[in-house]
Amino acid sequence: MDEITTQPAATPPDPVLAAINFDANGLVAAIAQQHDTGEVLMMAWMNAEAVRETLATGRVCYFSRSRGRLWRKGETSGQVQHLRELRVDCDGDTLLLLVHQDGVACHTGRRNCFFRSARDGGLVEIAAPVVSPETLYGHTHG
Amino acid sequence: MDEITTQPAATPPDPVLAAINFDANGLVAAIAQQHDTGEVLMMAWMNAEAVRETLATGRVCYFSRSRGRLWRKGETSGQVQHLRELRVDCDGDTLLLLVHQDGVACHTGRRNCFFRSARDGGLVEIAAPVVSPETLYGHTHG
């Protein structure tokens, strides 16, 4: 007679995570957009844990490729991103995060990271810092 | 006596390309945003040649990772993106393309690719196709 084992109830797969095609490094690109103005603030990366935490807490958490660990946006600078909505694109390899950004998104002290524009064959700065990086990060910048 | 050779005048480096940190595959992420409404349409990838062509022609050209070649957006579907402005982010690994999108950006026939939203623990479709993929691609969809 076959042995019958009692299987624990399987955890239902998270439909959001299941729709994401994480890359070979386990990451997915995430675009942060200010929900009410439409301003594109930045692009960063998330792993599954970052997606899970962001959805659970409502506070945006990325995965820092340079530091190799979770990066709770604003953990040092105080410039937190509050999630309003998370969207997944057609092929599951990019997320769009509609957020409310406290203060500035860019580590240079600018509101968003896209402050250089290709104009007349050159690259022109089109936005100045609204807060100094020293104010954001003190002496431990980086 | 040392030989003196006449060097051809060096081509000045393109300041836009010089500011971009292409990844190990020679690619940079590019976000397309409708310039007047702020709608984030899609995210795709560019190599140096795609950036150069896009700036030269004013018509957005990506690099298709699946097809391994330049992808002139709309070459099959007619859904062309007209460049209004190209911006480079703080660390040079993401571009923001402000465009005018002819028709729809998504191959599913939706205006943008981010039509699935995480809501109440599930994933909900928040936009329907405005044109059928068959109309866009005929029998050669892909």
Side-chain angles (χ1 to χ4, degrees), chain B residues 24-87:
Chain B
N25 297 312
L27 301 177
V28 62
I31 302 162
Q33 181 181 34
Q34 175 68 31
H35 72 99
D36 49 1
T37 65
E39 181 182 9
V40 176
L41 299 167
M42 58 181 283
M43 201 278 272
W45 297 85
M46 289 179 150
N47 63 3
E49 194 179 346
V51 173
R52 222 180 271 120
E53 176 172 316
T54 297
L55 287 172
T57 65
R59 179 177 163 175
V60 177
C61 174
Y62 298 103
F63 183 85
S64 168
R65 295 182 301 173
S66 59
R67 286 171 280 181
R69 64 168 176 81
L70 292 181
W71 161 35
R72 292 169 185 93
K73 177 71 180 164
E75 63 191 0
T76 307
S77 65
Q79 315 296 288
V80 169
Q81 290 179 346
H82 306 274
L83 186 72
R84 297 299 172 92
E85 188 167 336
L86 183 150
R87 296 183 186 166

Side-chain angles (χ1 to χ4, degrees), chain A residues 15 19 29 33 38 40 43 65 85-90 93-94 96 107 113-119 121-123 126, chain B residues 15-16 19 29 33 38 40 43 65 85-90 93-94 96 113-114 116-119 121-123 126:
Chain A
Q33 181 181 34
V40 175
M43 200 278 271
R65 295 183 301 173
E85 189 167 337
L86 183 150
R87 295 183 186 165
V88 182
D89 81 342
C90 50
D93 67 4
T94 308
L96 179 63
H107 75 286
C113 296
F114 301 95
F115 58 85
R116 297 183 292 174
S117 176
R119 292 185 185 176
L123 203 57
I126 57 172
Chain B
V16 177
Q33 181 181 34
V40 176
M43 201 278 272
R65 295 182 301 173
E85 188 167 336
L86 183 150
R87 296 183 186 166
V88 183
D89 81 341
C90 52
D93 67 3
T94 309
L96 179 63
C113 297
F114 301 96
R116 298 183 291 175
S117 176
R119 293 185 184 174
L123 204 57
I126 57 171

Side-chain angles (χ1 to χ4, degrees), chain A residues 22-101:
Chain A
F22 293 98
D23 69 12
N25 298 311
L27 301 176
V28 63
I31 301 162
Q33 181 181 34
Q34 174 68 31
H35 72 99
D36 48 1
T37 65
E39 181 182 9
V40 175
L41 299 167
M42 57 181 283
M43 200 278 271
W45 297 85
M46 289 179 149
N47 62 2
E49 194 179 347
V51 173
R52 222 180 271 120
E53 175 172 316
T54 296
L55 287 171
T57 66
R59 179 178 164 173
V60 178
C61 174
Y62 298 103
F63 183 84
S64 168
R65 295 183 301 173
S66 58
R67 286 172 279 181
R69 64 168 175 81
L70 291 181
W71 162 34
R72 293 170 183 93
K73 177 72 180 162
E75 62 192 0
T76 307
S77 65
Q79 314 296 288
V80 169
Q81 289 179 348
H82 306 273
L83 185 72
R84 297 299 172 91
E85 189 167 337
L86 183 150
R87 295 183 186 165
V88 182
D89 81 342
C90 50
D91 54 7
D93 67 4
T94 308
L95 305 180
L96 179 63
L97 311 175
L98 303 179
V99 304
H100 175 72
Q101 171 71 57

